[in-house]
Amino acid sequence: MRRNGTGPDTDRTTAANTAAGPVGDPEHDPAPEEPASTGSRAATTAGDPDARWLALLMHAAFFLLLGASLARFLMRHPGETRTPWIIALSAVLAVLYLLGPVFGSRRTPRRLAWLGVLVVVWMILVVLAPSFAWCAVPLFYTGLRILPPRAALGLVALLTVFVVAAQLRLATGFDPNLVLAPPAVAAVASAVFVHMQRQAVRQRDLAARQRELIDDLLRTRRELAATERREGTLAERQRLSMEIHDTLAQGLSSQQMLLQAADRSWDTDPATARRHVLTATGIAEHNLAEARRFVHDLAPADLAEGGGLEAALHALAARETAQGAAHLTVRCHVEGVPAAPLPDRVQSALLRIAQGALANIAEHAEATIAALTLTHLDDRVVLDIADNGRGFSPAHQAAHPSEGVRGHGLPAMRARVQQLGGTLTIESAPGEGTVLSAAVPLPHTPTPAATEERA
């Protein structure tokens, strides 16, 4: 093997270049020998195009080095008795390397046994033909990838000893560079790989902690919003109960007592009975005024602030967008000019429909954009609410109302529109968003019949 003086130098140069290249680069590849491996490492490789290309490069490098070593041996030593053994062991080494993905990516006994057999076959080849030491580079990486850190470093040290011994056998004389260079390259490559593996683990742990924190934050926000809604509902119920108790309930109780007193004195003292009835009538008028005040106070606040339905819809769109519910952006557009101010009932109903539709969109549609369009026509006013969400099947919703996530608010919207003689239409399909259209005839129209459903 030392008959050609140029051979060892070429071997040393090629081995040094090979060792300096692939070993120092694969720090970004979590699974170089198993492109289809499972677990988090496989997920990292699948999500990183550079890692996949590097894995393919490492596989190609192994077979290229194996083929080059075999070709060199056959060219330099044709017809020797050990040649069939070299060819057979080379084929066995190639087959073993190809079987790596079959054993998975986890550190199982079968996986460790496969690695041990692979290394033993390579060592036998190096003993028979030192030029096969070039294949140590991919084996370095395989050991670092599979074994625990200490065991992997021990394997790297063993492989490095075989590489140094093989290089000295190929050399014509003692060369200190052949003794020092392979260990140095192996040490640097191992340190880089271990560091990058620890960095990858830290990044995965950090990402997992961030996801947990985000989930906790979202859950806390939902719980806080639910608590605030419950507290607001209880506060409003308490306010209304006190208002009703102090006005309507007290007035009705007084009316009852006065009418009972009038009934008892109706025959014996008609004047007193008549006075009781007149007093009860005054109390009823006062209670009626209080009831009307309650109705006015319970009207939509946006309408109570003045500006009409258009201003209320713009304020609603701005408020829903500013609240950032489900990252929803709401736009409002008005077409046409009303010939006369819209009745309060119509404005209140359309605003309530818009509020309910936007609540459904934010809660169920998973939409990012919603649009409110108010159109003033000669005989009717139309409100369209459209979103780019996931949509649903209106036919299935009608046939199975209990299964629909949007089924709770739609009956109320339809009832509001029908009370005004209008129509409510829904156009939607799974994955294609939803368009809800409420058309209400205007009171001054000659025939306030139900309008046609908008296509």
Side-chain angles (χ1 to χ4, degrees):
M1 297 180 65
R2 300 180 182 178
R3 292 175 294 181
N4 192 334
T6 60
D9 295 336
T10 305
D11 293 340
R12 291 195 301 271
T13 304
T14 306
N17 292 337
T18 306
V23 175
D25 291 338
E27 64 269 18
H28 299 291
D29 182 11
E33 59 179 77
E34 298 179 24
S37 60
T38 59
S40 60
R41 293 168 177 171
T44 305
T45 304
D48 188 355
D50 294 335
R52 290 196 298 269
W53 281 107
L54 188 55
L56 293 175
L57 179 61
M58 291 298 295
H59 292 310
F62 176 82
F63 289 105
L64 180 62
L65 291 172
L66 182 62
S69 300
L70 180 60
R72 180 184 182 279
F73 177 81
L74 294 177
M75 292 173 60
R76 300 290 180 88
H77 311 282
E80 293 190 4
T81 56
R82 57 177 173 166
T83 300
W85 290 100
I86 298 298
I87 296 175
L89 289 174
S90 299
V92 171
L93 187 63
V95 172
L96 285 174
Y97 192 86
L98 288 174
L99 289 177
V102 176
F103 299 99
S105 62
R106 301 183 183 277
R107 192 182 302 152
T108 61
R110 295 177 57 191
R111 180 83 164 156
L112 297 177
W114 166 82
L115 178 60
V117 174
L118 185 71
V119 172
V120 169
V121 172
W122 173 80
M123 289 179 177
I124 296 174
L125 271 175
V126 173
V127 172
L128 296 177
S131 58
F132 281 89
W134 300 346
C135 299
V137 174
L139 296 182
F140 282 169
Y141 189 78
T142 303
L144 290 170
R145 173 67 176 83
I146 297 176
L147 297 175
R150 292 184 179 179
L153 294 179
L155 178 61
V156 169
L158 178 62
L159 296 179
T160 304
V161 171
F162 269 77
V163 171
V164 172
Q167 294 300 307
L168 291 177
R169 287 180 59 186
L170 291 174
T172 56
F174 178 78
D175 187 349
N177 187 52
L178 299 179
V179 178
L180 299 178
V185 173
V188 172
S190 300
V192 171
F193 179 84
V194 172
H195 174 72
M196 294 307 299
Q197 282 290 89
R198 291 178 178 176
Q199 288 293 104
V201 172
R202 292 193 189 99
Q203 290 294 332
R204 287 194 294 268
D205 293 343
L206 179 61
R209 287 195 296 269
Q210 289 177 344
R211 286 193 296 269
E212 292 176 358
L213 291 175
I214 292 174
D215 292 340
D216 291 342
L217 177 60
L218 293 177
R219 183 168 56 254
T220 303
R221 289 183 60 183
R222 288 193 295 267
E223 293 174 355
L224 179 60
T227 302
E228 291 178 348
R229 285 195 297 269
R230 288 194 297 269
E231 292 178 353
T233 301
L234 293 176
E236 184 64 14
R237 287 178 179 176
Q238 184 178 6
R239 185 186 73 83
L240 289 177
S241 64
M242 291 188 298
E243 289 283 345
I244 293 173
H245 176 270
D246 294 340
T247 55
L248 298 182
Q250 293 290 352
L252 291 173
S253 178
S254 299
Q255 291 178 56
Q256 182 183 19
M257 289 186 297
L258 288 170
L259 292 176
Q260 289 175 349
D263 181 65
R264 287 193 299 268
S265 61
W266 190 266
D267 296 329
T268 59
D269 192 356
T272 301
R274 188 178 299 107
R275 188 168 58 253
H276 290 331
V277 171
L278 291 176
T279 304
T281 302
I283 294 175
E285 292 178 355
H286 179 73
N287 282 358
L288 179 61
E290 288 292 340
R292 288 173 176 170
R293 183 179 67 83
F294 287 158
V295 172
H296 177 74
D297 290 343
L298 293 177
D302 291 332
L303 292 176
E305 294 176 357
L309 179 60
E310 299 177 7
L313 290 176
H314 281 289
L316 175 63
R319 184 168 61 251
E320 292 293 332
T321 302
Q323 289 176 353
H327 306 288
L328 180 65
T329 300
V330 183
R331 301 169 182 170
C332 182
H333 180 65
V334 178
E335 295 181 358
V337 179
L342 296 177
D344 293 341
R345 291 182 60 199
V346 174
Q347 295 188 56
S348 178
L350 292 180
L351 182 57
R352 291 301 192 197
I353 290 173
Q355 291 172 337
L358 290 179
N360 277 347
I361 292 171
E363 185 175 358
H364 303 299
E366 299 179 0
T368 57
I369 298 177
L372 303 176
T373 303
L374 181 66
T375 305
H376 295 283
L377 302 176
D378 294 335
D379 59 343
R380 64 187 185 275
V381 59
V382 181
L383 175 64
D384 296 322
I385 303 100
D387 68 79
N388 64 344
R390 62 182 182 181
F392 65 103
S393 175
H396 182 78
Q397 173 87 13
H400 306 83
S402 61
E403 299 177 6
V405 293
R406 296 189 177 189
H408 302 292
L410 292 178
M413 299 178 194
R414 187 170 285 107
R416 288 181 185 275
V417 175
Q418 290 177 350
Q419 288 175 358
L420 299 174
T423 58
L424 183 73
T425 61
I426 302 171
E427 297 176 1
S428 181
E432 298 182 5
T434 303
V435 178
L436 184 146
S437 179
V440 178
L442 297 178
H444 64 273
T445 56
T447 55
T451 58
E452 297 179 357
E453 294 186 355
R454 303 180 70 240

